[in-house]
Amino acid sequence: MAIFGLWVINKAGGLVYQRTFADGLAQLTSNEYLILAGTLHGIHAITSRLSPIPGQCSGAQVIEGETFKLNVLLTLTGTKFVLLTSPAEPTAAIDTLLQKIYTAYSEKVMQNPFHTPEMPIRSEAFDMSLTALVH
Amino acid sequence: MATSSKQYLTRGEELWKGRSEKVNAELFALTYGALVVQLIQDYEDYSEVNKQLEKMGHNIGTRLIEDFLAKSNLGRCADFREVGEVVAKVGFKSFLNITPAIAHTTIRPGSTGSAPPQATNSAGSSFSLTFDENPLAEFVELPEDALEGGLWFSNVLCGVIRGALEMVQMQVQVEFVSDVLRGDETTELRVKLIKHLEEEVPVADD
């Protein structure tokens, strides 16, 4: 049971926030993170068009591997919150956590008048609420 | 439709009650009043003031929508009619603690906002909101030249709605059609859907 890390991807596919909470993930350079986030954005766009059922589809929500699980929360505004966890982590708990992270984002990031939307997030308040939520 | 509109009402009520940080209504009204006065002094032109208020509102709306979506946890609306219901009953309620009466323009139901059941599938392309109370305009009386200049005192609301809906891929036109401050019978705001924006298509694909 572990929550490894969080990414926030803006609607254009850029990584605006990346944070690691626990050991267990490969150490990547910031460039590699950007590439990964961009790739995920592309994959997500494809999956949202793969649905056999016509109409709106929110795309991939979970990508699971042997050692990790990647959970995606896509908001209606197009921002993606990606939570990397261990596969044992229950989905319901992850969904609640992601929703809480979104709330923290809306309060600490979007309501900060000095933050430019779609730009990288540098907010101590957001960092602090994340720490409180995850630990 | 009637049940879901009730749901929205209770949802809005819950959200308003659950909001942890609230600001005193009088302080809010006075601050907004001071802001408008400052704009009038700076621009010396009422139509420009209207424009600036709308612009400010737009910036507020694009940010506020995240707060709204995060807390309300509502899904995507099926049609523009539902958008109107949500804006009036959840949006306005959860942020300002008011519920403007909504009237959909395609078929005009009574000002109660509960639509006749046969209307559900006809997607209305505009709706209007009638405000019984307006927290922004508390204690406000417009002077003669502001009336002549055509000031829409609460124009910030137009911007907020436009900004918020734009973030969820709807381009709308929002304007006040009447205001009690101008001596009209009601304060009415009209929201018209122009088009649905293309859903988040990446600008460049590399």
Side-chain angles (χ1 to χ4, degrees):
Chain A
M1 295 273 280
I3 291 161
F4 295 129
L6 172 77
W7 305 346
V8 180
I9 303 174
N10 69 12
K11 61 177 153 211
L15 186 68
V16 290
Y17 188 84
Q18 187 278 127
R19 182 157 164 206
T20 308
F21 296 110
D23 298 332
L25 295 178
Q27 290 294 319
L28 299 176
T29 64
S30 51
N31 223 358
E32 286 168 320
Y33 274 118
L34 284 173
I35 295 168
L36 269 182
T39 313
L40 180 70
H41 183 73
I43 293 171
H44 194 276
I46 294 168
T47 56
S48 67
R49 279 163 179 73
L50 280 178
S51 164
I53 298 157
Q56 287 284 342
C57 170
S58 64
Q61 292 175 335
V62 182
I63 297 176
E64 202 167 344
E66 215 170 290
T67 50
F68 78 104
K69 194 154 81 162
L70 188 148
N71 310 272
V72 186
L73 172 76
L74 174 71
T75 71
L76 288 179
T77 50
T79 310
K80 276 191 274 297
F81 292 84
V82 181
L83 201 63
L84 292 153
T85 64
S86 59
E89 205 76 26
T91 316
I94 292 169
D95 288 346
T96 350
L97 180 60
L98 275 170
Q99 199 62 40
K100 281 186 187 150
I101 292 173
Y102 184 27
T103 313
Y105 167 82
S106 76
E107 281 175 357
K108 301 290 171 356
V109 180
M110 288 312 276
Q111 284 174 30
N112 172 8
F114 299 105
H115 170 76
T116 323
E118 311 299 315
M119 291 308 275
I121 299 162
R122 285 192 193 82
S123 157
E124 218 171 277
F126 184 52
D127 284 341
M128 268 156 49
S129 24
L130 281 184
T131 313
L133 283 173
V134 171
H135 294 290
Chain B
M1 198 69 197
T3 50
S4 77
S5 106
K6 229 227 194 92
Q7 267 171 18
Y8 291 144
L9 281 173
T10 43
R11 204 67 253 269
E13 188 73 44
E14 276 167 27
L15 282 172
W16 169 254
K17 288 205 177 118
R19 192 164 289 281
S20 50
E21 287 167 20
K22 285 180 193 151
V23 62
N24 181 291
E26 289 173 14
L27 175 68
F28 177 65
L30 293 174
T31 320
Y32 183 71
L35 171 84
V36 177
V37 169
Q38 189 63 52
L39 282 174
I40 293 169
Q41 282 170 2
D42 287 354
Y43 287 97
E44 295 172 344
D45 173 36
Y46 291 106
S47 64
E48 189 60 30
V49 173
N50 288 340
K51 218 189 296 169
Q52 289 300 325
L53 283 174
E54 210 269 356
K55 207 161 126 194
M56 285 174 161
H58 181 260
N59 289 335
I60 296 173
T62 53
R63 287 154 182 269
L64 215 54
I65 183 75
E66 300 282 6
D67 182 89
F68 177 74
L69 292 174
K71 287 182 182 152
S72 69
N73 208 359
L74 291 166
R76 196 177 284 276
C77 290
D79 53 24
F80 199 58
R81 196 186 174 81
E82 199 182 342
V83 172
E85 299 284 324
V86 172
V87 167
K89 291 177 181 140
V90 193
F92 273 99
K93 182 70 190 175
S94 66
F95 290 114
L96 290 176
N97 196 22
I98 53 170
T99 314
I102 180 161
H104 300 275
T105 314
T106 32
I107 19 84
R108 285 193 173 274
S111 56
T112 48
S114 57
Q118 72 270 19
T120 39
N121 46 13
S122 67
S125 62
S126 82
F127 59 82
S128 57
L129 303 170
T130 311
F131 298 84
D132 295 331
E133 43 179 345
N134 181 357
L136 292 176
E138 212 73 32
F139 324 116
V140 175
E141 230 173 273
L142 293 183
E144 205 56 47
D145 60 330
L147 290 173
E148 281 162 19
L151 174 71
W152 291 114
F153 185 80
S154 311
N155 216 33
V156 74
L157 293 179
C158 295
V160 174
I161 296 177
R162 185 170 71 88
L165 293 185
E166 184 186 290
M167 292 299 279
V168 283
Q169 294 94 43
M170 266 175 283
Q171 195 185 349
V172 290
Q173 187 189 350
V174 191
E175 57 191 11
F176 270 101
V177 285
S178 64
D179 192 339
V180 279
L181 293 178
R182 288 184 165 199
D184 298 317
E185 295 261 301
T186 52
T187 302
E188 189 183 338
L189 187 115
R190 186 158 299 151
V191 184
K192 191 167 151 221
L193 177 69
I194 297 174
K195 63 171 182 205
H196 283 275
L197 301 165
E198 273 306 303
E199 44 169 323
E200 348 92 42
V201 182
V203 196
D205 225 344
D206 54 347

Coordinates of all heavy atoms in Angstrom, one line a residue, chain A residues 18-85:
Chain A
Q18 N 4.4 18.0 -10.6 CA 4.9 16.6 -10.4 C 5.4 16.5 -9.0 O 6.2 17.3 -8.6 CB 6.0 16.3 -11.5 CG 6.4 14.9 -11.5 CD 7.5 14.6 -10.5 OE1 7.3 13.6 -9.7 NE2 8.5 15.4 -10.4
R19 N 5.0 15.5 -8.3 CA 5.6 15.3 -7.0 C 5.6 13.9 -6.6 O 4.7 13.1 -6.9 CB 4.7 16.1 -6.0 CG 5.2 16.0 -4.6 CD 4.7 17.1 -3.7 NE 5.0 16.7 -2.3 CZ 4.3 17.2 -1.3 NH1 3.3 18.0 -1.5 NH2 4.5 16.8 -0.1
T20 N 6.7 13.5 -5.9 CA 6.8 12.1 -5.5 C 6.6 12.1 -4.0 O 7.2 12.9 -3.2 CB 8.3 11.6 -5.8 OG1 8.5 11.9 -7.2 CG2 8.4 10.1 -5.6
F21 N 5.8 11.1 -3.6 CA 5.5 11.0 -2.1 C 6.2 9.9 -1.4 O 6.6 10.0 -0.3 CB 4.0 10.8 -1.9 CG 3.1 11.9 -2.4 CD1 2.3 11.7 -3.5 CD2 3.1 13.1 -1.7 CE1 1.5 12.8 -4.0 CE2 2.3 14.1 -2.2 CZ 1.5 14.0 -3.3
A22 N 6.5 8.8 -2.2 CA 7.1 7.7 -1.5 C 8.2 7.1 -2.5 O 8.1 7.2 -3.7 CB 6.1 6.6 -1.1
D23 N 9.2 6.4 -1.9 CA 10.2 5.7 -2.7 C 9.5 4.5 -3.4 O 8.5 4.0 -3.0 CB 11.3 5.2 -1.8 CG 12.0 6.3 -1.1 OD1 12.0 7.4 -1.7 OD2 12.5 6.1 0.0
G24 N 10.1 4.1 -4.5 CA 9.6 2.9 -5.2 C 9.5 3.2 -6.7 O 9.3 2.3 -7.4
L25 N 9.5 4.5 -7.0 CA 9.5 4.8 -8.5 C 10.9 5.0 -9.0 O 11.8 5.4 -8.2 CB 8.6 6.1 -8.7 CG 7.2 6.0 -8.4 CD1 6.6 7.4 -8.6 CD2 6.5 5.0 -9.2
A26 N 11.1 4.8 -10.2 CA 12.4 5.1 -10.8 C 12.6 6.6 -10.8 O 11.7 7.4 -11.0 CB 12.4 4.6 -12.3
Q27 N 13.8 7.0 -10.6 CA 14.1 8.4 -10.6 C 14.2 8.9 -12.0 O 14.9 8.3 -12.8 CB 15.5 8.6 -9.9 CG 15.5 8.4 -8.4 CD 14.6 9.4 -7.7 OE1 14.7 10.6 -8.0 NE2 13.8 9.0 -6.7
L28 N 13.5 9.9 -12.3 CA 13.4 10.4 -13.7 C 13.9 11.8 -13.7 O 13.7 12.5 -12.7 CB 12.0 10.3 -14.3 CG 11.4 8.9 -14.4 CD1 10.0 9.0 -15.0 CD2 12.2 8.0 -15.4
T29 N 14.4 12.3 -14.8 CA 14.7 13.7 -15.0 C 13.4 14.4 -15.3 O 12.4 13.8 -15.7 CB 15.7 13.9 -16.1 OG1 15.1 13.5 -17.3 CG2 17.0 13.1 -15.9
S30 N 13.4 15.7 -15.1 CA 12.2 16.5 -15.3 C 11.8 16.4 -16.8 O 10.6 16.4 -17.1 CB 12.4 17.9 -14.9 OG 13.5 18.5 -15.5
N31 N 12.8 16.3 -17.7 CA 12.5 16.1 -19.1 C 11.7 14.8 -19.4 O 10.7 14.8 -20.1 CB 13.7 16.2 -19.9 CG 13.6 17.0 -21.1 OD1 12.5 17.6 -21.4 ND2 14.7 17.1 -21.9
E32 N 12.2 13.8 -18.7 CA 11.5 12.5 -18.9 C 10.1 12.5 -18.4 O 9.2 11.9 -19.0 CB 12.3 11.4 -18.2 CG 13.6 11.0 -18.9 CD 14.5 10.1 -18.1 OE1 14.7 10.4 -16.9 OE2 15.1 9.2 -18.7
Y33 N 9.9 13.2 -17.3 CA 8.5 13.4 -16.8 C 7.6 14.1 -17.8 O 6.5 13.7 -18.0 CB 8.5 14.2 -15.5 CG 8.8 13.3 -14.2 CD1 9.9 13.6 -13.4 CD2 7.9 12.3 -13.9 CE1 10.1 12.8 -12.3 CE2 8.1 11.6 -12.7 CZ 9.3 11.8 -12.0 OH 9.5 11.0 -10.9
L34 N 8.2 15.1 -18.4 CA 7.4 15.9 -19.4 C 7.0 15.0 -20.5 O 5.9 15.0 -21.0 CB 8.2 17.0 -19.9 CG 8.3 18.2 -19.0 CD1 9.3 19.3 -19.5 CD2 6.9 18.9 -18.8
I35 N 8.0 14.1 -21.0 CA 7.7 13.2 -22.1 C 6.6 12.2 -21.7 O 5.6 12.0 -22.5 CB 9.0 12.5 -22.5 CG1 10.0 13.5 -23.1 CG2 8.7 11.5 -23.6 CD1 11.4 13.0 -23.3
L36 N 6.7 11.6 -20.5 CA 5.8 10.7 -20.0 C 4.4 11.3 -20.0 O 3.4 10.7 -20.4 CB 6.2 10.2 -18.7 CG 7.0 8.9 -18.6 CD1 7.3 8.6 -17.2 CD2 6.3 7.8 -19.3
A37 N 4.3 12.5 -19.4 CA 3.0 13.2 -19.3 C 2.4 13.4 -20.6 O 1.2 13.2 -20.9 CB 3.2 14.4 -18.5
G38 N 3.2 13.9 -21.6 CA 2.7 14.1 -22.9 C 2.2 12.9 -23.6 O 1.2 12.9 -24.2
T39 N 3.0 11.8 -23.4 CA 2.6 10.5 -24.0 C 1.2 10.0 -23.4 O 0.3 9.6 -24.1 CB 3.6 9.4 -23.7 OG1 4.9 10.0 -24.0 CG2 3.4 8.2 -24.5
L40 N 1.1 10.2 -22.1 CA -0.1 9.8 -21.4 C -1.3 10.6 -21.9 O -2.4 10.0 -22.1 CB 0.0 9.9 -19.9 CG -1.2 9.5 -19.1 CD1 -1.4 8.0 -19.2 CD2 -1.2 10.0 -17.7
H41 N -1.0 11.9 -22.1 CA -2.1 12.7 -22.7 C -2.6 12.2 -24.0 O -3.8 12.1 -24.3 CB -1.5 14.1 -22.8 CG -2.5 15.1 -23.3 ND1 -3.5 15.6 -22.5 CD2 -2.7 15.7 -24.5 CE1 -4.3 16.4 -23.2 NE2 -3.8 16.5 -24.4
G42 N -1.6 11.8 -24.8 CA -1.9 11.3 -26.2 C -2.7 10.0 -26.1 O -3.8 9.8 -26.7
I43 N -2.2 9.1 -25.2 CA -2.9 7.8 -25.0 C -4.3 8.0 -24.5 O -5.2 7.4 -25.0 CB -2.1 6.9 -24.0 CG1 -0.7 6.5 -24.6 CG2 -2.9 5.7 -23.6 CD1 0.2 5.9 -23.6
H44 N -4.4 8.9 -23.6 CA -5.7 9.2 -23.0 C -6.7 9.7 -24.1 O -7.8 9.3 -24.1 CB -5.6 10.2 -21.9 CG -6.8 10.3 -21.1 ND1 -7.8 11.1 -21.4 CD2 -7.1 9.7 -19.9 CE1 -8.8 11.0 -20.5 NE2 -8.3 10.2 -19.5
A45 N -6.2 10.6 -25.0 CA -7.0 11.1 -26.0 C -7.5 10.0 -26.9 O -8.6 9.9 -27.4 CB -6.3 12.1 -26.8
I46 N -6.6 9.0 -27.2 CA -7.0 7.9 -28.0 C -8.0 7.0 -27.3 O -9.0 6.7 -27.9 CB -5.7 7.0 -28.4 CG1 -4.8 7.8 -29.3 CG2 -6.1 5.7 -29.1 CD1 -3.4 7.2 -29.5
T47 N -7.7 6.7 -26.1 CA -8.7 5.8 -25.4 C -10.1 6.4 -25.3 O -11.1 5.7 -25.3 CB -8.2 5.5 -23.9 OG1 -8.0 6.7 -23.2 CG2 -7.0 4.7 -23.9
S48 N -10.1 7.8 -25.2 CA -11.5 8.4 -25.1 C -12.3 8.2 -26.4 O -13.5 8.5 -26.4 CB -11.3 9.8 -24.7 OG -10.8 10.5 -25.7
R49 N -11.6 7.9 -27.5 CA -12.3 7.7 -28.8 C -12.4 6.2 -29.1 O -13.0 5.8 -30.2 CB -11.5 8.4 -29.9 CG -11.8 9.9 -29.9 CD -10.8 10.6 -30.7 NE -11.1 12.0 -30.8 CZ -11.0 12.9 -29.8 NH1 -10.5 12.4 -28.6 NH2 -11.3 14.1 -29.9
L50 N -12.0 5.3 -28.3 CA -12.0 3.9 -28.6 C -13.3 3.2 -28.1 O -13.6 2.1 -28.5 CB -10.9 3.2 -27.9 CG -9.5 3.2 -28.6 CD1 -8.5 2.5 -27.7 CD2 -9.6 2.6 -29.9
S51 N -14.1 4.0 -27.3 CA -15.2 3.4 -26.7 C -16.2 2.8 -27.7 O -16.6 3.5 -28.7 CB -15.9 4.4 -25.8 OG -17.2 3.9 -25.5
P52 N -16.7 1.6 -27.5 CA -17.7 1.0 -28.5 C -19.0 1.6 -28.3 O -19.9 1.5 -29.2 CB -17.7 -0.5 -28.1 CG -17.2 -0.5 -26.7 CD -16.3 0.6 -26.5
I53 N -19.2 2.3 -27.2 CA -20.5 2.9 -26.9 C -20.5 4.3 -27.4 O -19.6 5.1 -27.0 CB -20.9 2.8 -25.4 CG1 -21.0 1.4 -25.0 CG2 -22.2 3.6 -25.1 CD1 -20.7 1.2 -23.5
P54 N -21.4 4.8 -28.2 CA -21.4 6.1 -28.8 C -21.6 7.1 -27.7 O -22.2 6.9 -26.6 CB -22.5 6.1 -29.8 CG -23.4 5.0 -29.4 CD -22.6 4.0 -28.7
G55 N -21.1 8.3 -28.0 CA -21.3 9.4 -27.0 C -20.1 9.7 -26.2 O -19.0 9.2 -26.6
Q56 N -20.2 10.6 -25.3 CA -19.1 11.1 -24.5 C -18.4 9.9 -23.7 O -19.1 9.0 -23.2 CB -19.5 12.1 -23.5 CG -19.9 13.4 -24.1 CD -18.7 14.2 -24.4 OE1 -17.6 13.9 -24.0 NE2 -18.8 15.2 -25.3
C57 N -17.1 9.9 -23.8 CA -16.3 8.9 -23.0 C -15.2 9.6 -22.3 O -14.5 10.4 -22.9 CB -15.8 7.8 -23.9 SG -14.7 6.7 -23.1
S58 N -15.0 9.3 -21.1 CA -13.9 10.1 -20.4 C -12.5 9.5 -20.6 O -11.6 10.0 -20.0 CB -14.3 10.1 -18.9 OG -14.2 8.8 -18.4
G59 N -12.4 8.4 -21.3 CA -11.1 7.8 -21.6 C -10.6 7.0 -20.4 O -11.3 6.7 -19.5
A60 N -9.3 6.6 -20.5 CA -8.7 5.6 -19.6 C -8.8 6.2 -18.2 O -8.6 7.4 -17.9 CB -7.3 5.3 -19.9
Q61 N -9.2 5.4 -17.2 CA -9.2 5.8 -15.8 C -8.1 5.2 -15.0 O -7.6 5.8 -14.1 CB -10.6 5.6 -15.2 CG -11.7 6.5 -15.9 CD -13.0 6.1 -15.4 OE1 -13.3 5.0 -15.0 NE2 -13.9 7.1 -15.5
V62 N -7.9 3.9 -15.3 CA -6.8 3.2 -14.6 C -5.9 2.5 -15.6 O -6.4 1.8 -16.5 CB -7.4 2.2 -13.6 CG1 -6.3 1.5 -12.8 CG2 -8.4 2.8 -12.7
I63 N -4.6 2.6 -15.4 CA -3.7 1.7 -16.2 C -2.9 0.9 -15.1 O -2.3 1.5 -14.2 CB -2.7 2.6 -17.1 CG1 -3.5 3.3 -18.1 CG2 -1.7 1.6 -17.7 CD1 -2.7 4.3 -19.0
E64 N -3.0 -0.4 -15.2 CA -2.5 -1.2 -14.1 C -1.3 -2.0 -14.6 O -1.4 -2.7 -15.7 CB -3.6 -2.0 -13.5 CG -3.3 -2.5 -12.1 CD -4.5 -3.1 -11.4 OE1 -5.6 -2.9 -11.9 OE2 -4.3 -3.8 -10.4
G65 N -0.3 -2.1 -13.8 CA 0.8 -3.0 -14.1 C 1.0 -3.9 -12.9 O 0.3 -3.9 -11.9
E66 N 2.1 -4.7 -13.0 CA 2.3 -5.7 -12.0 C 2.8 -4.9 -10.7 O 2.4 -5.3 -9.6 CB 3.5 -6.6 -12.4 CG 3.3 -8.0 -11.9 CD 4.3 -8.9 -12.6 OE1 4.2 -9.2 -13.8 OE2 5.2 -9.3 -11.9
T67 N 3.5 -3.9 -10.8 CA 4.1 -3.2 -9.7 C 3.4 -1.8 -9.4 O 3.7 -1.2 -8.3 CB 5.6 -3.0 -9.9 OG1 5.7 -2.4 -11.1 CG2 6.3 -4.3 -9.9
F68 N 2.6 -1.4 -10.2 CA 2.0 0.0 -10.0 C 0.7 0.1 -10.6 O 0.3 -0.7 -11.4 CB 3.0 1.1 -10.5 CG 2.8 1.2 -12.0 CD1 2.1 2.3 -12.5 CD2 3.4 0.3 -12.9 CE1 2.0 2.4 -13.9 CE2 3.2 0.4 -14.2 CZ 2.5 1.5 -14.8
K69 N 0.0 1.1 -10.2 CA -1.3 1.4 -10.8 C -1.3 2.9 -11.1 O -0.9 3.7 -10.2 CB -2.4 1.1 -9.8 CG -3.8 1.0 -10.4 CD -4.7 0.1 -9.6 CE -5.2 0.7 -8.4 NZ -6.4 0.0 -7.8
L70 N -1.8 3.3 -12.3 CA -1.8 4.7 -12.6 C -3.3 5.1 -12.7 O -4.0 4.6 -13.5 CB -1.1 4.8 -14.0 CG -0.8 6.2 -14.6 CD1 0.5 6.0 -15.3 CD2 -1.9 6.6 -15.5
N71 N -3.7 6.0 -11.9 CA -5.1 6.4 -11.8 C -5.3 7.8 -12.4 O -4.6 8.7 -12.0 CB -5.6 6.4 -10.4 CG -5.3 5.1 -9.7 OD1 -6.0 4.1 -9.7 ND2 -4.1 5.0 -9.1
V72 N -6.3 7.9 -13.3 CA -6.5 9.2 -13.9 C -7.8 9.8 -13.5 O -8.8 9.1 -13.6 CB -6.4 9.1 -15.5 CG1 -6.5 10.5 -16.1 CG2 -5.2 8.4 -15.9
L73 N -7.8 11.1 -13.1 CA -9.1 11.8 -12.9 C -9.1 12.9 -14.0 O -8.2 13.8 -14.0 CB -9.2 12.4 -11.5 CG -10.4 13.3 -11.3 CD1 -11.7 12.6 -11.2 CD2 -10.2 14.2 -10.1
L74 N -10.0 12.8 -14.9 CA -10.1 13.9 -15.9 C -11.3 14.8 -15.5 O -12.4 14.4 -15.3 CB -10.5 13.3 -17.3 CG -10.8 14.2 -18.4 CD1 -9.5 15.0 -18.8 CD2 -11.4 13.6 -19.6
T75 N -11.0 16.1 -15.3 CA -12.0 17.0 -14.9 C -12.7 17.5 -16.2 O -12.2 17.3 -17.3 CB -11.5 18.2 -14.2 OG1 -10.7 19.0 -15.1 CG2 -10.5 17.8 -13.1
L76 N -13.9 18.1 -16.0 CA -14.7 18.6 -17.1 C -14.0 19.7 -17.8 O -14.3 20.0 -19.0 CB -16.1 19.1 -16.6 CG -17.0 17.9 -16.2 CD1 -18.3 18.5 -15.8 CD2 -17.3 17.0 -17.4
T77 N -13.0 20.4 -17.2 CA -12.3 21.4 -17.8 C -11.1 20.9 -18.6 O -10.4 21.7 -19.2 CB -11.8 22.5 -16.8 OG1 -11.1 21.8 -15.7 CG2 -13.0 23.3 -16.2
G78 N -10.8 19.6 -18.5 CA -9.8 19.0 -19.3 C -8.4 18.8 -18.6 O -7.5 18.3 -19.1
T79 N -8.4 19.2 -17.3 CA -7.2 19.0 -16.5 C -7.2 17.5 -16.1 O -8.2 17.0 -15.8 CB -7.2 19.9 -15.3 OG1 -7.4 21.2 -15.7 CG2 -5.8 19.8 -14.6
K80 N -6.0 16.9 -16.1 CA -5.9 15.5 -15.6 C -5.1 15.4 -14.4 O -4.0 16.0 -14.3 CB -5.2 14.7 -16.7 CG -6.2 14.2 -17.7 CD -5.6 13.1 -18.6 CE -4.8 13.7 -19.8 NZ -5.6 14.5 -20.7
F81 N -5.6 14.7 -13.4 CA -4.8 14.4 -12.2 C -4.5 12.9 -12.2 O -5.3 12.1 -12.4 CB -5.7 14.7 -10.9 CG -6.0 16.1 -10.7 CD1 -7.0 16.7 -11.4 CD2 -5.2 16.9 -9.9 CE1 -7.3 18.1 -11.2 CE2 -5.4 18.3 -9.8 CZ -6.5 18.8 -10.4
V82 N -3.2 12.7 -12.2 CA -2.7 11.3 -12.3 C -2.0 10.9 -11.0 O -1.1 11.5 -10.5 CB -1.7 11.2 -13.5 CG1 -1.2 9.7 -13.6 CG2 -2.3 11.6 -14.7
L83 N -2.5 9.8 -10.4 CA -2.0 9.4 -9.1 C -1.4 8.0 -9.4 O -2.0 7.1 -9.8 CB -3.1 9.3 -8.1 CG -2.8 9.3 -6.7 CD1 -2.1 10.6 -6.3 CD2 -4.0 9.0 -5.8
L84 N -0.1 7.9 -9.0 CA 0.6 6.6 -9.1 C 0.6 5.9 -7.8 O 1.1 6.5 -6.8 CB 2.1 6.9 -9.6 CG 2.2 7.4 -11.0 CD1 3.5 8.3 -11.1 CD2 2.2 6.3 -12.0
T85 N 0.1 4.7 -7.8 CA 0.0 4.0 -6.5 C 0.5 2.6 -6.7 O 0.7 2.1 -7.8 CB -1.5 4.0 -6.0 OG1 -2.2 3.2 -6.9 CG2 -2.1 5.3 -5.9

